[in-house]
Amino acid sequence: GSEMCIRDRFFHYLVSRHLYQLLERLQRFQPQVSNAPLKLRRHRRSGAPPDELDLLTQAFNQLEQNTYESYQKLSYEKEKSLITLNSIIDGVIVCDDNSVVEFLNPVAEGLTGWTNAGATGKQLTEVFKVVHEVSRERESEFSQIAISSREVQHSFEQSILIALSGSEKAIKYSVAPIIWGDQQILGTVLVFHDITSSRPVSYTHLTLPTKRI
């Protein structure tokens, strides 16, 4: 009886030691780093079929490899998206579903006066201040309207962007909801460009619009 008890305790000790190896590896795991497959420090008879610990280790190694490959793919797609957004000749502002700014491309930085770092985390209406040229009224929460309607919203012909410095530019813009998978709204993307040099100096002779977004 005592000999069997000692063997059981020794067996549990070995299993616990191997499980601790797995836990230790898991705690150090970094998805951006490719690691060599984990091998448990144990003595096995040559040709012995895999046991539960072997199968657990194989599953862990496969999970680690799959996670690393998924991380690399996501990193590549993210980098490609950023390069694309930074290459667009229009200003681009990306927001979450609460109209909190997540990204400005260089053109948007130049037109608004905000840096990407400075604007990130702020409400869109603070970074993208748009008024009607004649009435000077702030235009509506166009980002939230795009989310609630699930449709692209467009600016009026008389929209004025007030930059951080206080300078003003006539702009045209559109804001579209970002819809993912099962129609979940992730946020909005706002695209705009400067039309100051391509339109009349003033629109004061025109009738004010009766419908605003």
Side-chain angles (χ1 to χ4, degrees), residues 2 18 21 49 53 72 76 80 88 97 114 127 129 140 159-160 175-176 181 183 188-189 206 209:
S2 60
H18 296 319
Q21 275 186 263
L53 282 174
Q72 293 300 310
Y76 170 76
K80 186 169 70 172
I88 295 175
D97 58 346
W114 288 84
V127 175
K129 294 182 178 179
S140 304
S159 297
I160 296 294
V175 56
Q183 301 301 301
T188 55
V189 57
L206 298 179

Side-chain angles (χ1 to χ4, degrees), residues 101 103-106 108-110 112-122 127 164:
V101 175
F103 173 79
L104 271 71
N105 75 345
E109 289 181 318
T112 64
W114 288 84
T115 63
N116 182 44
T120 299
K122 297 187 181 300
V127 175
L164 185 61

Side-chain angles (χ1 to χ4, degrees), residues 36-80:
L38 174 66
K39 293 183 179 179
L40 297 179
R41 297 185 293 272
R42 57 193 307 226
H43 300 290
R44 295 298 312 279
R45 211 171 51 248
S46 178
D51 59 15
E52 287 83 356
L53 282 174
D54 292 323
L55 296 174
L56 181 61
T57 304
Q58 290 173 13
F60 176 82
N61 285 331
Q62 188 62 56
L63 177 63
E64 209 175 48
Q65 181 63 26
N66 291 346
T67 304
Y68 169 75
E69 291 174 359
S70 296
Y71 182 90
Q72 293 300 310
K73 184 177 180 180
L74 286 173
S75 297
Y76 170 76
E77 294 296 332
K78 180 180 179 181
E79 187 65 24
K80 186 169 70 172

Side-chain angles (χ1 to χ4, degrees), residues 134-186:
V134 181
S135 70
R136 305 302 292 181
E137 290 182 15
R138 288 290 293 267
E139 297 199 4
S140 304
E141 294 283 352
F142 37 83
S143 178
Q144 287 302 312
I145 294 174
I147 288 175
S148 60
S149 68
R150 293 175 173 262
E151 295 179 348
V152 178
Q153 302 294 314
H154 298 280
S155 63
F156 296 128
E157 292 296 323
Q158 295 165 284
S159 297
I160 296 294
L161 172 66
I162 303 176
L164 185 61
S165 64
S167 63
E168 299 184 359
K169 297 179 179 68
I171 62 164
K172 290 188 71 173
Y173 67 85
S174 63
V175 56
I178 302 172
I179 302 175
W180 177 77
D182 57 351
Q183 301 301 301
Q184 179 184 358
I185 300 289
L186 300 182

